[in-house]
Amino acid sequence: MKLIAKWLLSATALLFVAYVYPGVEVRDFTAALIAAFVIGLLNLVVRPILVVLTLPVTLVTLGLFLFVINALMFWAAGSVLDGFRVPGFVAALVGSLIYSALGVVIDSALERLFPKQ
């Protein structure tokens, strides 16, 4: 139940990002659901590999390079999907920052709604 709630709220967060920031475009809620799924899948599979491969750069930049990796995941999802569009890297960076901040809020709210037993 928690996973479905997180998926629905993440799709809603993508719609909010598109509403607040004009650099990100989402066609409708179905496209947002698919984009949230693809972003989650990219973050689950590709992101850990990129983090390990870019560990020296991440250490030199004191972790700031992780923002670039998040933006690349956001941008990759935008380039793969039809209803979700991110035209450039700066739009991906700003969009991923807003989406990540909303993700923290969503995770916090879900922890209160579905406490671990």
Side-chain angles (χ1 to χ4, degrees):
M1 187 66 161
K2 183 179 176 182
L3 183 63
I4 294 171
K6 182 172 173 63
W7 182 37
L8 291 172
L9 289 172
S10 295
T12 306
L14 271 178
L15 286 173
F16 181 77
V17 170
Y19 179 75
V20 171
Y21 182 63
V24 176
E25 299 172 12
V26 180
R27 185 178 54 222
D28 55 5
F29 189 70
T30 305
L33 282 171
I34 295 169
F37 178 76
V38 170
I39 289 171
L41 196 62
L42 286 172
N43 283 334
L44 183 70
V45 176
V46 178
R47 187 176 187 274
I49 296 168
L50 285 178
V51 168
V52 169
L53 289 176
T54 61
L55 191 60
V57 176
T58 303
L59 290 174
V60 168
T61 61
L62 302 174
L64 292 176
F65 193 73
L66 293 175
F67 290 122
V68 173
I69 292 174
N70 284 342
L72 289 174
M73 296 299 99
F74 204 75
W75 197 10
S79 65
V80 170
L81 301 172
D82 281 336
F84 177 62
R85 190 168 157 296
V86 183
F89 180 76
V90 174
L93 184 63
V94 173
S96 70
L97 287 173
I98 298 169
Y99 184 67
S100 296
L102 292 172
V104 169
V105 172
I106 289 169
D107 287 340
S108 175
L110 289 178
E111 284 300 318
R112 289 178 182 237
L113 288 174
F114 301 103
K116 293 182 181 178
Q117 298 169 350

